[in-house]
Amino acid sequence: FSKVSKFSTLKSTAVYRQAVCADKLEDNKTAVKKYKYLMSHYPYSKLAVRAKYLYAQSLYEDKQAKRAKREFKGLLKQYPNTDYAIASEYYLGSVEAGNIVNIKNKKNKELAKNKAIHYFRDYLKEAPSGRFAILSIDKWIGLNKKLTNEDNLIIAKAYQASGDYKKAQKYLKFTNISVSWPYLVKNAYSLKDYSRVKYYTEQGLKGKG
């Protein structure tokens, strides 16, 4: 890949492949160098978006939370309508949640919890079946904050998307039936509770009438 000319249209791809190879070889120093080169020289390339995400991810995994947070926030700002921006929400929530243990001031601790929950909530709304969905729920619940009706529905929908209808039912019980009845019907049907299917359908249709 190093033999590809910098004037070639394949140069950005070659640099990206170098970074990926370095990652696979656990040569973090080279991988970071190549990701930075790609972001600097080809900022509008689709590969640059992925490179920025992988670079931020590597910082997070190396426990460089402050730098990772800056990169993930940059992704949200620069590429808001991409899968990488959505995934960044999970990581930003994780960074905020991870910082809470070091915060002594009660008010600041609550602010950090709210920030973390904001990111987890946004991630789950955008990607209920995403690879970080269950992790987002676990970290959110671990913050021990009271859930709203909407929060319970967001979490239930993510559990439904993963096929865990029993856990989904646990959260659906605390939702507003006038809004959540289609999900209650789906859940009851999946659990073969057909009397509940009928009940929730009737309740939902009454509300719509």
Side-chain angles (χ1 to χ4, degrees):
F1 295 117
S2 62
K3 292 181 180 180
V4 176
S5 168
K6 66 179 181 180
F7 303 109
S8 171
T9 55
L10 296 174
K11 184 62 178 176
S12 61
T13 304
V15 174
Y16 175 75
R17 293 306 303 172
Q18 285 180 306
V20 171
C21 289
D23 258 339
K24 294 291 183 184
L25 294 169
E26 298 184 358
D27 182 356
N28 190 57
K29 186 177 179 180
T30 299
V32 167
K33 181 181 176 182
K34 296 299 178 181
Y35 286 140
K36 283 185 172 181
Y37 180 91
L38 191 61
M39 290 184 287
S40 173
H41 290 76
Y42 304 94
Y44 301 107
S45 161
K46 287 183 179 180
L47 290 176
V49 186
R50 179 163 175 75
K52 188 174 181 68
Y53 172 74
L54 292 174
Y55 173 54
Q57 200 176 46
S58 71
L59 290 172
Y60 176 82
E61 289 169 356
D62 287 343
K63 303 188 186 306
Q64 298 184 56
K66 190 175 287 187
R67 292 176 65 194
K69 180 179 177 178
R70 185 169 62 246
E71 294 299 328
F72 284 123
K73 278 196 164 186
L75 270 162
L76 272 177
K77 186 176 180 180
Q78 290 176 266
Y79 313 102
N81 300 313
T82 64
D83 288 343
Y84 300 113
I86 294 170
S88 294
E89 301 263 25
Y90 162 74
Y91 281 108
L92 286 166
S94 297
V95 169
E96 294 293 348
N99 286 338
I100 289 168
V101 70
N102 300 316
I103 300 173
K104 304 300 181 185
N105 182 279
K106 189 175 179 180
K107 185 178 179 181
N108 290 339
K109 186 169 285 200
E110 286 302 301
L111 286 172
K113 283 186 179 184
N114 290 337
K115 277 186 182 179
I117 289 169
H118 165 78
Y119 287 124
F120 291 138
R121 185 187 289 116
D122 278 1
Y123 176 82
L124 289 169
K125 285 169 78 173
E126 293 290 334
S129 60
R131 62 180 292 204
F132 301 123
I134 303 305
L135 284 170
S136 293
I137 294 172
D138 290 343
K139 291 182 179 183
W140 181 353
I141 299 303
L143 295 172
N144 295 315
K145 292 279 287 184
K146 186 176 179 181
L147 300 172
T148 65
N149 283 352
E150 184 188 3
D151 292 339
N152 281 298
L153 182 55
I154 289 168
I155 291 171
K157 285 161 74 173
Y159 274 125
Q160 280 191 343
S162 73
D164 193 337
Y165 297 102
K166 286 187 177 180
K167 282 192 176 176
Q169 186 64 32
K170 175 183 173 183
Y171 291 94
L172 283 169
K173 286 192 297 186
F174 301 104
T175 61
N176 186 332
I177 192 171
S178 66
V179 175
S180 63
W181 72 270
Y183 304 99
L184 285 159
V185 170
K186 178 181 178 181
N187 222 67
Y189 184 82
S190 298
L191 294 172
K192 299 182 179 179
D193 188 347
Y194 301 118
S195 62
R196 284 285 173 182
V197 170
K198 182 182 178 183
Y199 171 76
Y200 290 132
T201 302
E202 288 174 348
Q203 292 300 309
L205 292 175
K206 277 181 187 176
K208 292 185 79 173

